[in-house]
Amino acid sequence: MTTNNKSITCKKLLFISRHAPYGTSLAKEALDAILAASAYDQNLSLLFMDDGVFQLLSAQDPSDLEQKNFAAMLPVLALYEIENIYVHFESLQARQITINELILDGVQVIDSKTICSLLTQQDQLLSF
Amino acid sequence: MTTNNKSITCKKLLFISRHAPYGTSLAKEALDAILAASAYDQNLSLLFMDDGVFQLLSAQDPSDLEQKNFAAMLPVLALYEIENIYVHFESLQARQITINELILDGVQVIDSKTICSLLTQQDQLLSF
Amino acid sequence: MSTLHTVNKSPFTHTTLLSCLQICGEDDGILLLEDGVFGAIKSSPCSEQLSIIMQKGIKIYALMGDVKARGLQEKLHPDIHITDYNGFVQLSIEHRCVQSWY
Amino acid sequence: MSTLHTVNKSPFTHTTLLSCLQICGEDDGILLLEDGVFGAIKSSPCSEQLSIIMQKGIKIYALMGDVKARGLQEKLHPDIHITDYNGFVQLSIEHRCVQSWY
Amino acid sequence: MIFSLAIYAAPYSSQASDTAYRFAAAVLANGHQLYRVFFYHDGVHNSSALMTPPQDEINLVLQWQQLSQDYNIDLVVCIAAALRRGLLNEQEANRYDKPTFNLNQNFEISGLGQLVDAAVISDRLITFGG
Amino acid sequence: MIFSLAIYAAPYSSQASDTAYRFAAAVLANGHQLYRVFFYHDGVHNSSALMTPPQDEINLVLQWQQLSQDYNIDLVVCIAAALRRGLLNEQEANRYDKPTFNLNQNFEISGLGQLVDAAVISDRLITFGG
């Protein structure tokens, strides 16, 4: 793929991750999908909302479940240069989760209205 | 199995069906399970609650989905001599469903408190 | 450009439709399908909120085959639009993106 | 005889726990597990109702491995009992029947 | 005390099968009897001999197999649920002219009567839904 | 217009795969192009060659197969999701020393990149979750 082709096909893709970790595999599969997307030179964003915000709690310890720690996996997003990471303010508020409980430093907390306009700026939504 | 053995092992089994028809296969699989149980000479009961009460609406017409009509299947319960059929009053009320919209005549509408004591009279609960 | 939202869970048992309504914009559309069509009936727990956003101009659709299957034809909120799969395709073209709430 | 109820869905997104609370009797017990343990935190949408029924003597348990996995140790409602799989087995013996809410 | 379990959830996709396995292990560790594990709805996928998780992840079909071999436990897959979802043993593959089969050999395909029988025989039947 | 679909739901257990198939058929009937159907999460079960529903019920794997043959549509199953859930083609069966394979021959096993590629190439990507 030439640089020229790349620019033609550079799209804005927003991954929306709405499910809690561990109870189902959707949270992990959303993460795997956006990491795979990072190889394609697209404009990527990731939004956590609803129970998906529980993925960000830093105190996770799934050793009894013999599963990988989700909180320990999320920092890999920075290594893959995925920097547009959003968290839904009202979802945090409903769960009384404060920003200092979250594993990621660089997340942008945005309200419902801002999410609405974020969606309108995208070329595709990947719904998880 | 002798008559004597039968009486020793005659248990009260309550099937609880809480899911809407068509959207998932759980409603159909609950029905299949209780029909299978009718061959075992046990004391069977069936309770519809939560979105499970939607299974009873007589106006169903799933022809566009190419699925079998759930409302048309339920009367088979009588043929299998499953007569203890209960519907949760508060679930009907929340959905504003009246008793004359239901496909089965012989259902007993019972409230939460009665369900609570119904559960305590059982030997096993089969949760769907 | 606007977003089409699809919702396939019952609002009597899931908060999916509520989540969708929270971030739905005035140019957006909502398509209720599968168990999501329970959200299209007058007795839906989101019924009042749907009335309010429909007055703002947001259009709400329900998939006919799913409404009929569940026997809800006579129970529908009067302002909900009934559509079919061709309509679903058309809606997905008229909006720029589709968000699936499941 | 009494019933043990297990709940494995989050009360933030499903009405499962509410349904369970509706028909839970005074001798019954409730075990929260998997995503159901989100119901055990102080900010749960059912938190007040849980307080009320725990005052009536109904015991509510949460499965430790699931609480720890989700990082909820410091967020728990103070009257919730933490248990493990041996406790789960014991609870299922102490109650006559088990109803699974999923 | 005699226990049986009914599992309706797919492994990996839902945590419930893993929960059920840990419960089963605790039942046995506490000296109780596990009469049967009945797989229905998406639970039938627990029986797939082709399940190939990464090596550092839990392999549920092998865990059930080990449990069955160590304690002689009946692992029964509902035939109607299994056929719809593509789980077959050799006999069913022959019956329906399928080129191969994929049921782990420690699982038995049978009817819903085995769920009812488990409810009747056991002191406790516990459902694990997805 | 170019469409792609992402399917995350198991057939039979959830209605969503059937909805996705009907949507795919409507896309084509309206003269649009269907670039790819990508199967992920429990959606991978749509690809099972061993799926054996009763004769009077919909057989989704055969419906997808027909659609693929009639319109030359790319049916792609995510490799990581498929292996965990026991869906293998011949090559993967050999790689992991499994005795057989069960992927319908019209489905291709590939990576998550094929989902991203579908999102980039298509005008519309629609997700069908369970």
Side-chain angles (χ1 to χ4, degrees):
Chain A
M1 208 183 257
T2 67
T3 312
N4 192 31
N5 276 343
K6 265 191 216 171
S7 65
I8 289 172
T9 59
C10 182
K11 285 201 171 176
K12 298 190 77 167
L13 310 181
L14 173 65
F15 291 69
I16 303 181
S17 190
R18 296 180 44 249
H19 293 85
Y22 311 113
T24 74
S25 60
L26 279 165
K28 177 64 164 55
E29 287 167 315
L31 180 62
D32 289 344
I34 194 166
L35 295 180
S38 70
Y40 284 73
D41 282 317
Q42 305 295 315
N43 186 334
L44 304 181
S45 306
L46 173 57
L47 165 65
F48 295 96
M49 74 175 286
D50 295 336
D51 277 355
V53 303
F54 284 125
Q55 297 173 40
L56 292 160
L57 283 181
S58 53
Q60 295 171 51
D61 173 12
S63 50
D64 290 357
L65 310 185
E66 297 169 80
Q67 285 200 45
K68 287 176 197 132
N69 190 325
F70 216 88
M73 284 188 282
L74 286 175
V76 82
L77 288 163
L79 299 179
Y80 283 69
E81 292 177 5
I82 296 160
E83 283 153 4
N84 303 319
I85 303 179
Y86 304 96
V87 188
H88 182 217
F89 171 70
E90 286 86 346
S91 297
L92 288 177
Q93 194 181 38
R95 290 157 185 81
Q96 294 173 29
I97 297 173
T98 58
I99 186 104
N100 59 344
E101 296 179 84
L102 306 185
I103 185 76
L104 298 178
D105 292 331
V107 294
Q108 299 171 56
V109 178
I110 60 177
D111 66 9
S112 298
K113 216 177 162 76
T114 312
I115 287 182
C116 176
S117 73
L118 178 69
L119 261 57
T120 64
Q121 296 154 25
Q122 305 300 316
D123 291 308
Q124 305 280 14
L125 305 176
L126 290 97
S127 318
F128 287 95
Chain B
M1 208 183 257
T2 68
T3 311
N4 192 32
N5 276 342
K6 265 190 216 172
S7 65
I8 289 171
T9 58
C10 182
K11 286 201 172 176
K12 299 190 77 167
L13 310 181
L14 174 64
F15 292 69
I16 302 181
S17 189
R18 295 180 46 251
H19 293 84
Y22 310 114
T24 73
S25 60
L26 279 166
K28 176 63 164 58
E29 288 167 315
L31 180 62
D32 289 345
I34 192 165
L35 295 180
S38 70
Y40 283 72
D41 282 316
Q42 304 295 316
N43 187 335
L44 304 182
S45 306
L46 174 57
L47 165 65
F48 296 96
M49 74 175 286
D50 295 337
D51 276 354
V53 302
F54 283 125
Q55 297 173 41
L56 292 160
L57 283 181
S58 53
Q60 296 171 50
D61 172 13
S63 49
D64 290 358
L65 309 184
E66 298 170 77
Q67 286 201 44
K68 286 175 197 132
N69 190 326
F70 216 88
M73 284 188 283
L74 287 176
V76 83
L77 288 163
L79 298 178
Y80 283 69
E81 292 177 5
I82 297 160
E83 282 153 5
N84 303 319
I85 304 179
Y86 304 95
V87 188
H88 181 218
F89 171 70
E90 286 86 346
S91 297
L92 289 177
Q93 193 181 40
R95 289 157 185 82
Q96 294 172 30
I97 296 173
T98 57
I99 185 108
N100 60 344
E101 295 179 85
L102 306 185
I103 187 74
L104 298 177
D105 293 333
V107 293
Q108 299 172 57
V109 179
I110 59 177
D111 66 7
S112 298
K113 217 178 161 74
T114 313
I115 289 183
C116 177
S117 74
L118 178 68
L119 261 57
T120 63
Q121 295 154 26
Q122 306 300 316
D123 292 307
Q124 303 282 13
L125 305 177
L126 290 98
S127 318
F128 288 95
Chain C
M1 289 296 291
S2 66
T3 305
L4 175 67
H5 304 266
T6 69
V7 177
N8 76 346
K9 291 287 178 293
S10 163
F12 291 95
T13 49
H14 293 71
T15 58
T16 320
L17 179 55
L18 276 180
S19 295
C20 167
L21 293 177
Q22 257 189 307
I23 68 157
C24 182
E26 298 199 3
D27 297 326
D28 290 357
I30 300 177
L31 173 63
L32 306 172
L33 73 169
E34 299 166 21
D35 286 347
V37 298
F38 292 120
I41 63 179
K42 287 191 290 275
S43 58
S44 153
C46 304
S47 191
E48 270 186 47
Q49 279 157 284
L50 292 186
S51 292
I52 292 166
I53 70 161
M54 286 192 281
Q55 277 159 21
K56 285 189 194 162
I58 295 176
K59 285 204 172 151
I60 305 187
Y61 304 83
L63 208 51
M64 178 161 51
D66 287 324
V67 169
K68 272 175 57 189
R70 290 160 182 80
L72 308 178
Q73 302 92 312
E74 307 295 320
K75 295 173 163 287
L76 294 175
H77 191 297
D79 299 332
I80 299 234
H81 300 261
I82 295 298
T83 191
D84 59 11
Y85 278 93
N86 293 325
F88 185 0
V89 171
Q90 198 53 41
L91 284 171
S92 70
I93 291 169
E94 288 166 7
H95 297 83
R96 187 177 185 189
C97 287
V98 181
Q99 158 65 0
S100 303
W101 302 83
Y102 60 90
Chain D
M1 290 294 293
S2 65
T3 305
L4 174 67
H5 304 266
T6 69
V7 177
N8 76 346
K9 292 288 178 293
S10 163
F12 291 97
T13 49
H14 294 70
T15 58
T16 319
L17 179 54
L18 275 180
S19 294
C20 168
L21 293 177
Q22 257 189 305
I23 67 157
C24 183
E26 298 199 2
D27 297 325
D28 290 356
I30 300 176
L31 172 63
L32 305 172
L33 72 170
E34 301 166 20
D35 286 347
V37 299
F38 292 121
I41 63 180
K42 288 192 289 275
S43 59
S44 154
C46 302
S47 192
E48 271 186 47
Q49 279 157 284
L50 292 186
S51 293
I52 292 167
I53 70 162
M54 286 191 283
Q55 277 159 19
K56 286 188 193 161
I58 295 176
K59 286 203 172 153
I60 304 188
Y61 303 83
L63 208 51
M64 178 160 53
D66 287 324
V67 169
K68 271 176 57 191
R70 289 160 183 80
L72 307 178
Q73 302 92 312
E74 307 296 322
K75 295 172 162 289
L76 293 175
H77 191 297
D79 299 331
I80 300 238
H81 301 260
I82 295 299
T83 190
D84 60 10
Y85 278 93
N86 293 326
F88 185 1
V89 171
Q90 198 52 42
L91 284 171
S92 69
I93 291 169
E94 289 166 7
H95 297 83
R96 186 176 185 191
C97 288
V98 182
Q99 159 64 2
S100 304
W101 303 83
Y102 60 89
Chain E
M1 204 166 233
I2 304 176
F3 284 78
S4 284
L5 312 185
I7 302 184
Y8 302 161
Y12 302 108
S13 309
S14 153
Q15 198 194 331
S17 295
D18 186 65
T19 302
Y21 172 77
R22 291 175 196 278
F23 183 82
V27 162
L28 295 163
N30 282 275
H32 301 293
Q33 191 184 335
L34 186 56
Y35 174 66
R36 179 171 296 146
V37 185
F38 188 84
F39 299 89
Y40 193 36
H41 191 66
D42 278 343
V44 300
H45 292 298
N46 279 277
S47 69
S48 172
L50 300 184
M51 203 189 286
T52 315
Q55 293 211 323
D56 59 348
E57 288 186 16
I58 289 166
N59 186 324
L60 262 169
V61 69
L62 294 185
Q63 291 193 324
W64 290 120
Q65 171 178 320
Q66 195 65 50
L67 207 70
S68 162
Q69 289 171 354
D70 291 350
Y71 296 92
N72 191 27
I73 291 165
D74 224 14
L75 304 176
V76 178
V77 177
C78 170
I79 184 166
L83 290 176
R84 281 183 177 81
R85 290 169 178 83
L87 275 300
L88 306 177
N89 61 10
E90 189 166 9
Q91 191 185 347
E92 297 303 320
N94 289 336
R95 189 197 311 272
Y96 292 99
D97 270 337
K98 295 289 176 183
T100 186
F101 60 95
N102 58 348
L103 202 82
N104 177 290
Q105 74 272 9
N106 292 269
F107 291 74
E108 183 193 336
I109 285 194
S110 189
L112 274 165
Q114 299 301 303
L115 171 62
V116 182
D117 172 75
V120 172
I121 299 293
S122 310
D123 300 305
R124 294 292 182 273
L125 173 74
I126 326 255
T127 303
F128 294 87
Chain F
M1 202 167 232
I2 305 175
F3 284 80
S4 284
L5 312 186
I7 301 183
Y8 302 161
Y12 302 106
S13 309
S14 153
Q15 198 193 332
S17 295
D18 186 64
T19 302
Y21 171 78
R22 291 173 197 278
F23 183 82
V27 162
L28 295 163
N30 282 274
H32 301 293
Q33 192 186 333
L34 186 55
Y35 174 66
R36 179 171 296 147
V37 185
F38 188 84
F39 299 89
Y40 192 37
H41 191 66
D42 277 343
V44 300
H45 292 298
N46 280 277
S47 70
S48 171
L50 300 183
M51 201 189 288
T52 314
Q55 291 211 325
D56 59 347
E57 287 185 15
I58 288 167
N59 186 323
L60 263 168
V61 68
L62 294 184
Q63 290 193 325
W64 290 119
Q65 171 178 320
Q66 195 65 49
L67 206 71
S68 162
Q69 290 172 353
D70 291 351
Y71 296 92
N72 192 26
I73 291 164
D74 225 13
L75 304 176
V76 179
V77 177
C78 170
I79 185 165
L83 290 176
R84 281 185 177 80
R85 290 170 179 83
L87 275 301
L88 305 177
N89 61 11
E90 189 165 10
Q91 191 186 346
E92 297 304 319
N94 288 337
R95 188 197 312 270
Y96 292 100
D97 270 337
K98 295 289 175 181
T100 186
F101 60 95
N102 58 348
L103 201 81
N104 177 290
Q105 75 272 9
N106 292 269
F107 291 74
E108 183 193 335
I109 285 194
S110 188
L112 274 166
Q114 299 300 303
L115 171 62
V116 182
D117 172 75
V120 172
I121 297 293
S122 310
D123 300 304
R124 294 291 181 275
L125 172 74
I126 327 257
T127 303
F128 294 87

